[in-house]
Amino acid sequence: MNKKTTVLLALFISCLVHAQWKPQGDKIKTKWAEQVDPNKTLPEYPRPIMERSQWKNLNGLWNYAIQEFGKKAPSKYDGQILVPFAVESSLSGVMKDVGAKNELWYETHFALESNWNGKNILLHFGAVDWKTEVFINDIKVGSHTGGYTPFSFDITPFIQKGKNQKLVVKVWDPSNDGPQPRGKQVKNPEGIWYTPVTGIWQTVWIEPVNAKNITALKTTPNIDQNTIRIKADVAGAEAGDLVEITVFDGDAAIAKEKAVIGESNDIVLNNLKLWSPESPFLYQTKIRLISNNKVVDEVKSYFAMRKIASKRDENGIVRMQLNNKDYFQFGPLDQGWWPDGLYTAPTDEALKYDIIKTKELGFNMIRKHVKVEPERWYTHCDQLGILVWQDMPSGDEQPLWQNRKYFEGTELQRSAKSEEIYRKEWREIMDHLYSYPSIVVWVPFNEAWGQFKTVEITEWTKNHDPSRLTNSSSGGNHFQTGDILDLHNYPGPEMYLYDARRVTVLGEYGGIGLPLEGHLWRANDNWGYIKFKNESEVTAEYIKYAQILKNYVKTGFSAAVYTQTTDVEGEVNGFMTYDRKVDKMDFKAINKINREVIDALKH
């Protein structure tokens, strides 16, 4: 076959695949939906904080079937689904509900690269919601529960030589019929609750490694001692094996240390470059696993030197500090939802876009609301310079949105199973995201949604990661625990409580609504705390609230969160429409007043 014939054949196959797949439904979509290519779906490396040179992306069109719960693998599939978009999403090409009474099955085939002979093969899932079972060549190789963290299996023993490998995945997700963390997903979306997300929603990929390989990295900066502590977890290690870490400032190697397996590398850095939203400097690293004087694994990574803390100022107010200086944190409540991909941004450019727009608005922080993002999102935050408050996705019993109670003083009595699920998933989320420097606050609960054993959970969170602040319950039932008292007030800012011993923040306010025809998820029942008719009215109201907030900064607030980045489904209170096609406020005017709010702490 000559080169021209090969090209024509590839084009034909590409057109055939496109013909088999198309976005479903008549809902609004982002401009990036048109760029989604079934042959090259989210092609970027999915784990930039621990990058290897060899890997293979398994995203694309897979077979799928929705079956009654408890049945064996389907003999015939319903059609094709575009992985990694949830089955309820438009971009999946399916857009069907699943529910607790059914299971979602996937099937695909993949080949290994010829130069991977002799390597162990790891199969990675970025995230699958919620309970997953995985089969390779009709052998069950593993299972996982949890909708927000990655998991992987060494599938080497089950690979069949010289063949395409068969991969089958079974998923069950009870949505709000179960106690598991699910964030804003409900079977019947309304108000502030959104469409369910079932199944694979982040990249699926494989990579070849040696039997001895690095499995995880944990980096802890200490700017007061000019040190970075890096600990590598290693599979298959033996006595005498070493981890070598080289630190780079740009292309220049500035430090190199070796340590035996199981010990951390504590590296002293001279002429420290601190990370902040104003100057997001990242040190690059190369981590090598050495056995018998040979390099058996190598990964690239990065870290930042920054410190988050709290300290009482000269007026007796406990302030948030960044790098030992009082620093007002200000940003939007960010849901991370997409009209076309639901939990999954259509492209990496889209994933990055909301962060860029947040910076354009003059903010220095994002509160990631009851959702965990793909790892690339956190790397974009690290690179662009934005602080992140990371919520635990809420679950179990959550109140009707019209009946949210902040000060009832009661806690949910969870079942032992529900508590076990919560603790497992929250620990996995914190461990998974530990090394991303942009994350500065953990938020275990939001507004009493599933809130239980508040003091115990907060202290456990704080002990698990003492390097960050813990915001016990954002707007929830308040207990004297954790680092922060977090108030919610809609629509305008108000300081109706103050804590002289902890940081006091306004964890949510605003919600100024502006429905724009042609950019609405649904024609009717669109919702905002208050509604206006045009950009100038909404901008004026925002500025009015910001002026009030400025005064509260001086008297006690150390951070604030405005609701919200974009419209989402029935909510029309975003800076942008849900399809990201219209900025609904005057961004230059918003930037100016936002900088004034942040700078109010300096005067």
Side-chain angles (χ1 to χ4, degrees), residues 13 35 110 131 170 254 281 385 389 461-465 518 575:
I13 292 169
Q35 299 168 16
F110 63 90
K131 181 181 179 183
K170 179 174 77 169
I254 59 169
F281 180 81
W389 294 12
T461 299
K462 187 72 182 167
N463 289 334
H464 194 70
D465 180 10
F575 287 108

Side-chain angles (χ1 to χ4, degrees), residues 114-358:
S114 57
N115 61 346
W116 291 5
N117 288 340
K119 297 281 191 180
N120 284 26
I121 306 301
L122 302 180
L123 170 63
H124 296 278
F125 294 84
V128 184
D129 197 1
W130 177 73
K131 181 181 179 183
T132 311
E133 296 175 50
V134 178
F135 305 81
I136 294 288
N137 298 320
D138 299 319
I139 297 167
K140 183 176 175 181
V141 298
S143 57
H144 180 262
T145 58
Y148 300 96
T149 50
F151 55 97
S152 61
F153 306 108
D154 187 333
I155 60 172
T156 314
F158 317 107
I159 295 294
Q160 295 181 353
K161 288 184 179 177
K163 289 187 178 180
N164 266 3
Q165 313 302 320
K166 179 183 174 186
L167 168 59
V168 171
V169 179
K170 179 174 77 169
V171 183
W172 176 67
D173 180 16
S175 189
N176 55 312
D177 285 335
Q180 82 292 346
R182 62 181 183 276
K184 292 268 192 121
Q185 306 174 54
V186 293
K187 290 183 299 182
N188 301 304
E190 62 165 339
I192 64 168
W193 306 107
Y194 315 143
T195 304
V197 170
T198 301
I200 298 167
W201 67 275
Q202 289 186 31
T203 292
V204 184
W205 54 295
I206 51 174
E207 65 175 345
V209 295
N210 288 319
K212 292 181 181 182
N213 63 85
I214 298 163
T215 58
L217 299 171
K218 185 175 183 179
T219 63
T220 310
N222 186 329
I223 72 167
D224 298 324
Q225 296 181 356
N226 289 5
T227 59
I228 181 71
R229 170 171 288 185
I230 303 177
K231 176 119 180 347
D233 291 340
V234 175
E238 298 174 295
D241 291 346
L242 305 173
V243 172
E244 176 192 87
I245 297 176
T246 308
V247 179
F248 296 87
D249 179 344
D251 295 329
I254 59 169
K256 185 184 282 189
E257 298 283 347
K258 290 180 185 174
V260 297
I261 300 298
E263 288 293 319
S264 61
N265 288 61
D266 296 304
I267 302 169
V268 177
L269 299 170
N270 297 319
N271 304 314
L272 209 58
K273 292 184 178 178
L274 298 179
W275 182 97
S276 70
E278 293 74 30
S279 179
F281 180 81
L282 298 174
Y283 290 91
Q284 305 300 315
T285 57
K286 189 192 309 181
I287 296 98
R288 287 175 160 173
L289 176 60
I290 300 171
S291 182
N292 297 319
N293 295 318
K294 288 184 180 177
V295 177
V296 294
D297 195 13
E298 181 178 308
V299 297
K300 289 193 299 184
S301 187
Y302 66 86
F303 65 85
M305 296 302 293
R306 67 99 184 94
K307 176 185 177 182
I308 184 70
S310 61
K311 188 178 180 182
R312 196 176 300 281
D313 70 10
E314 65 274 12
N315 298 315
I317 300 168
V318 181
R319 295 292 187 186
M320 281 186 167
Q321 289 199 321
L322 179 66
N323 300 333
N324 295 324
K325 293 178 181 175
D326 293 352
Y327 191 90
F328 189 83
Q329 298 189 25
F330 193 20
L333 193 72
D334 192 299
Q335 312 275 3
W337 282 73
W338 301 85
D340 31 37
L342 299 181
Y343 257 18
T344 311
T347 68
D348 192 61
E349 183 190 357
L351 186 69
K352 191 175 179 179
Y353 182 80
D354 286 0
I355 308 167
I356 292 170
K357 297 296 280 188
T358 300

